[in-house]
Every structure is written in structure tokens, then in C-alpha cells.
């Protein structure tokens, strides 16, 4: 790939992200996981919404918070003493057991969940990689914590990450335009591209469509059409 044309996207390693995460991934040349910033409790780093017969519900991985108020995302440990795997797999099976593509993907999903992990990012990375592969995405990924020479905070940090991966274009979500300093990107010769993603509407189980759910919902309901649906619902 010509480095002059590399588009970088930067995103926190969320737990089973929604389709907008993968739209961002598909439209970048490299996705950098922002894993070395402060973890926010009760956020989508360790929980996500799925849909069951009662409507939307949270799917959660329990983590150790006590006494760790300022830990970074890559320092967050899973509460290994709790039977969270059985509960999580039971919830997913109960919600999606009748979905058209449940049998095709659940065993792979289950195998990842059943592995041993110490840190939350380990399972998040594994699940993002699996979802990417299942949807049909092949994009280079990096971890911010492993990049050399990254400095600064807020927009300065984003610019520094782009420079570390050789990107001349940064793909930002619509919400980012509210706090990012565009002139800093331009000052470093980096184009700032902003996209506005509209969630794909598709046939779900359990009644009326609910947007903003995990991509797991899309995959179990639509299977190989997932990529087409994600790409077809954006305004750039």
C-alpha cells in the first residue's frame, strides 16, 4: 500500500462492537486500537446490547474495578472467579437460538468465549478479529500501546498516532468533529475525513427493529449479507 494514501481510523477496543465500528474499519487502511487510555466504568468496553424476547438487554463481561479508578483499558482484568461464561453463552443462545445463521456461527463464538483470559482487551481483540473475519473484512490493525513515538493528549495524540502508522488521512466519526481540532491535522499534512453512519435496517427476531445493537445481532440474523448491509447504509 502506498503510504501517502493510507487512511487511519482510531477506536477503543469495544466488546462485540456495533456495525458502525466495522464500517469505520472497512473504510480504513489501518485501524489502531486505542487501548492505552483510561477505562470508563460501565461503558461499551465491557458490555453491549443484544436483543431478546423482552427487547434489548445488556451482555456484560464482569471486570475488576475496586481500587482501580484510573486504570487504562489494557490494564482491566476480568473477574475470573465469576461464572460469566455460562451466563453469557446462555443469554446469547436464548436470544438467537432461532436466528437463521445461529448454528453457523455460534460454535465459533462459543469457542472464543471459553478460552482463558486475564485481561478484557484479550477477549475483545479475539472477538473483533472473529467478527471481522466472519463479516469478510481484511484490514491491518495496530495497538496504540505498541506504537513508538506516540505523544500528546486528545487531538495531538490522534495526530501522533496517524504519523506513527504513516497515515495521511484520518477517518473520524461524526461525533468527533465536536471536539477534534481540525487545524492540528492540517498542520501535520493529514486530511481529516468525517463520516456519518446510519445503522442498517434488517429483519430481526422478536418484533420491531432496534438499532445500535452488537454486530452479533446482525451476523446471526443476516449471515453473509452482513458486510453488504453495513456498507450500504452510510453517508460520507
Amino acid at each position: 500500500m502506498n503510504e501517502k494514501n493510507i487512511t487511519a481510523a482510531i477506536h477503543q477496543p469495544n466488546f462485540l462492537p456495533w456495525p458502525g465500528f466495522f464500517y469505520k474499519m472497512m473504510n480504513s487502511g489501518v485501524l489502531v486500537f486505542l487501548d492505552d487510555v483510561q477505562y470508563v466504568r460501565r461503558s461499551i468496553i465491557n458490555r453491549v446490547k443484544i436483543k431478546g424476547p423482552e427487547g434489548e438487554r445488556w451482555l456484560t463481561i464482569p471486570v475488576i474495578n475496586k481500587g482501580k479508578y484510573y486504570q487504562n483499558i489494557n490494564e482491566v482484568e476480568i473477574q475470573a472467579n465469576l461464572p460469566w461464561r455460562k451466563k453469557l453463552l446462555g443469554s446469547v443462545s436464548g436470544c438467537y437460538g432461532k436466528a437463521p445463521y445461529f448454528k453457523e456461527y455460534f460454535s465459533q463464538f462459543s469457542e472464543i468465549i471459553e478460552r482463558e483470559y486475564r485481561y478484557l482487551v484479550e477477549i475483545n481483540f479475539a472477538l473483533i478479529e472473529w467478527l471481522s473475519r466472519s463479516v469478510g473484512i481484511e484490514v491491518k490493525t495496530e495497538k496504540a500501546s505498541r506504537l513508538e513515538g506516540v505523544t500528546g493528549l486528545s487531538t495531538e495524540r490522534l495526530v501522533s498516532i496517524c504519523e506513527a502508522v504513516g497515515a495521511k488521512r484520518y477517518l473520524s466519526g461524526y461525533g468527533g468533529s465536536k471536539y477534534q481540532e481540525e487545524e492540528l491535522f492540517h498542520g501535520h499534512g493529514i486530511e481529516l475525513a468525517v463520516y456519518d453512519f446510519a445503522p442498517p435496517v434488517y429483519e430481526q427476531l422478536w418484533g420491531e427493529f432496534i438499532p445500535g445493537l452488537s454486530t452479533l445481532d446482525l451476523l446471526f440474523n443476516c449471515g453473509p449479507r452482513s458486510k453488504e448491509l453495513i456498507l450500504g447504509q452510510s453517508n460520507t
Side-chain angles (χ1 to χ4, degrees):
M1 180 182 295
N2 187 335
E3 288 195 358
K4 293 183 179 180
N5 299 321
I6 291 178
T7 296
I10 302 170
H11 209 292
Q12 295 182 359
N14 296 343
F15 173 54
L16 289 169
W18 79 308
F21 176 98
F22 293 99
Y23 171 79
K24 190 175 187 178
M25 190 178 207
M26 286 183 219
N27 284 276
S28 65
V30 56
L31 174 68
V32 180
F33 292 113
L34 198 59
D35 62 336
D36 55 356
V37 294
Q38 187 175 335
Y39 168 73
V40 178
R41 296 185 178 201
R42 297 179 62 80
S43 68
I44 54 175
I45 304 298
N46 75 306
R47 63 178 190 162
V48 70
K49 287 183 178 180
I50 59 172
K51 184 182 179 185
E54 75 286 358
E56 60 184 29
R57 60 187 294 183
W58 287 105
L59 198 65
T60 305
I61 294 182
V63 298
I64 300 174
N65 287 316
K66 189 174 182 180
K68 298 186 176 185
Y69 298 101
Y70 304 105
Q71 61 184 331
N72 285 341
I73 292 171
N74 58 5
E75 298 171 329
V76 177
E77 296 183 61
I78 296 172
Q79 289 194 37
N81 60 324
L82 297 179
W84 62 271
R85 290 178 177 83
K86 181 178 180 181
K87 181 179 179 181
L88 188 149
L89 290 173
S91 294
V92 171
S93 181
C95 290
Y96 297 107
K98 296 181 180 179
Y101 296 93
F102 176 80
K103 291 182 180 179
E104 183 172 342
Y105 296 105
F106 183 72
S107 62
Q108 301 168 33
F109 172 72
S110 179
E111 189 274 327
I112 295 171
I113 296 296
E114 292 289 0
R115 297 176 194 167
E116 290 297 323
Y117 305 93
R118 177 179 178 183
Y119 294 101
L120 177 64
V121 289
E122 294 174 335
I123 187 169
N124 283 3
F125 289 143
L127 288 168
I128 289 171
E129 181 183 358
W130 171 71
L131 281 171
S132 301
R133 188 171 62 251
S134 298
V135 171
I137 307 171
E138 294 184 13
V139 174
K140 180 181 178 182
T141 60
E142 299 278 5
K143 298 179 179 65
S145 60
R146 296 185 180 180
L147 295 176
E148 296 183 2
V150 173
T151 60
L153 300 172
S154 190
T155 302
E156 290 181 350
R157 186 174 183 81
L158 299 179
V159 169
S160 184
I161 290 173
C162 287
E163 292 181 327
V165 298
K168 292 299 182 182
R169 187 171 186 261
Y170 172 61
L171 184 62
S172 169
Y174 182 77
S177 61
K178 299 177 182 179
Y179 61 85
Q180 289 165 173
E181 300 174 67
E182 187 172 352
E183 63 274 11
L184 283 180
F185 287 98
H186 293 164
H188 287 261
I190 299 170
E191 176 191 354
L192 177 60
V194 179
Y195 74 92
D196 186 13
F197 177 79
V201 178
Y202 53 92
E203 187 173 348
Q204 294 174 334
L205 296 177
W206 317 117
E208 189 175 342
F209 179 78
I210 297 177
L213 304 179
S214 168
T215 302
L216 203 61
D217 183 271
L218 175 63
L219 189 64
F220 284 147
N221 282 300
C222 299
R225 292 182 56 234
S226 297
K227 182 177 182 179
E228 172 190 337
L229 287 165
I230 293 172
L231 284 175
Q233 298 292 326
S234 64
N235 301 308
T236 55

